Amino acid sequence: MRAQPSSYRLMLTLQATLNRGRFSLNVDLTLPDTGVTALLGPSGSGKSTLAALVSGLLTPETGLIQLGDTVFCHLGDGVKPPVNLPPQARGLGFLFQNHRLFPHLSVRDNLFFGPKRAGRKPPVDPQRLIETLGIEHLLDVSPQELSGGESQRVALGRALLAAEKALILDEPLSSLDEDRRNELLTYFEKTLALTTLPVLYITHRHDEAERLGNAIVRLKEGRVVSVTTKAMLDPHEPTH
């Protein structure tokens, strides 16, 4: 594992252990406070499990999960009082492999569902986001009328508008064919550049991790095998 440079600032403390049958996860990470961190690894490496721990969809047996000054989870022997915030209290936007748009709501109402429900201020300008995603003409359309690529763009916009502290994207392009995946990558690249929120991007594709990630965490069998940043690969390339 390569040493972290001094410019590698603390965003997320993630120390967690979890055992599920034959699979065990044991990680101790600090991740940057801005930009995209790609969690890269093959199926079964623990990347989606790690994202679920951050989001609160899974609970570690022991660990500390902390974003800035906010402790999401702190469990273990001697920890008093134990802390384990529910997902809705963590201020995260989450995009699954399945788009999961609400079929009874229009595209517009899907986009703004999170901010209205949680009373949060969107982290990016909504109009600029809509224009970047190229969905201005779809705002009054039902999700059933969208193509797969359009649906994914709307789902990305909804997740980002709902994010208060961070955004988690779990294999969002894995179900697409190669042409559509390449097209959507461009939209993801432009959209993620709009925000200064930290982003966790889960993928098994090296090209996605290298194209989108400011930092890449490689996982194998529930363990971190390396952490690299763009600054490590090219010290003259600025991160954002």
Side-chain angles (χ1 to χ4, degrees):
M1 178 174 174
R2 303 172 77 172
Q4 297 173 0
S6 59
S7 61
Y8 196 78
R9 299 174 295 172
L10 179 65
M11 173 278 278
L12 172 70
T13 298
L14 211 171
Q15 303 163 352
T17 61
L18 179 69
N19 293 288
R20 306 182 75 188
R22 294 190 298 172
F23 175 78
S24 68
L25 181 80
N26 191 331
V27 297
D28 186 348
L29 276 171
T30 57
L31 301 177
D33 65 349
T34 190
V36 180
T37 295
L39 302 181
L40 174 65
S43 178
S45 62
K47 54 190 186 297
S48 290
T49 299
L50 197 55
L53 291 172
V54 175
S55 68
L57 298 176
L58 282 178
T59 300
E61 293 165 12
T62 64
L64 171 64
I65 302 173
Q66 181 172 345
L67 178 58
D69 295 328
T70 303
V71 177
F72 290 164
C73 181
H74 195 190
L75 301 172
D77 294 339
V79 176
K80 294 181 181 180
V83 177
N84 189 28
L85 298 183
Q88 64 271 21
R90 300 192 180 197
L92 305 177
F94 207 114
L95 177 58
F96 297 90
Q97 297 178 35
N98 186 323
H99 310 160
R100 301 188 185 184
L101 296 178
F102 301 117
H104 61 290
L105 298 179
S106 68
V107 165
R108 187 193 313 274
D109 289 338
N110 265 282
L111 285 171
F112 292 100
F113 181 84
K116 288 182 179 179
R117 184 180 185 185
R120 299 172 184 167
K121 181 180 178 180
V124 299
D125 176 65
Q127 185 57 40
R128 187 178 179 192
L129 174 64
I130 289 168
E131 292 172 358
T132 300
L133 290 169
I135 56 175
E136 306 98 311
H137 62 297
L138 301 173
L139 294 178
D140 296 317
V141 169
S142 168
Q144 291 94 327
E145 301 176 57
L146 300 177
S147 68
E150 291 169 341
S151 178
Q152 189 64 299
R153 280 183 273 157
V154 173
L156 173 60
R158 184 181 67 174
L160 180 52
L161 288 175
E164 180 181 29
K165 295 178 183 285
L167 178 63
I168 300 176
L169 309 176
D170 188 2
E171 295 269 15
L173 304 178
S174 63
S175 64
L176 304 177
D177 60 48
E178 200 67 13
D179 288 341
R180 186 173 293 169
R181 187 183 73 90
N182 289 331
E183 177 187 354
L184 264 293
L185 261 175
T186 299
Y187 282 105
F188 271 66
E189 197 169 33
K190 293 178 179 178
T191 300
L192 296 181
L194 298 178
T195 181
T196 58
L197 289 178
V199 179
L200 291 182
Y201 187 92
I202 292 90
T203 183
H204 65 279
R205 298 282 302 243
H206 287 78
D207 60 332
E208 290 181 18
E210 292 171 359
R211 181 169 173 178
L212 299 178
N214 300 99
I216 300 175
V217 177
R218 290 176 173 82
L219 295 166
K220 183 178 181 180
E221 297 178 352
R223 305 294 187 273
V224 175
V225 295
S226 69
V227 179
T228 56
T229 70
K230 283 187 175 178
M232 292 177 180
L233 300 175
D234 182 358
H236 302 293
E237 180 176 347
T239 57
H240 58 277

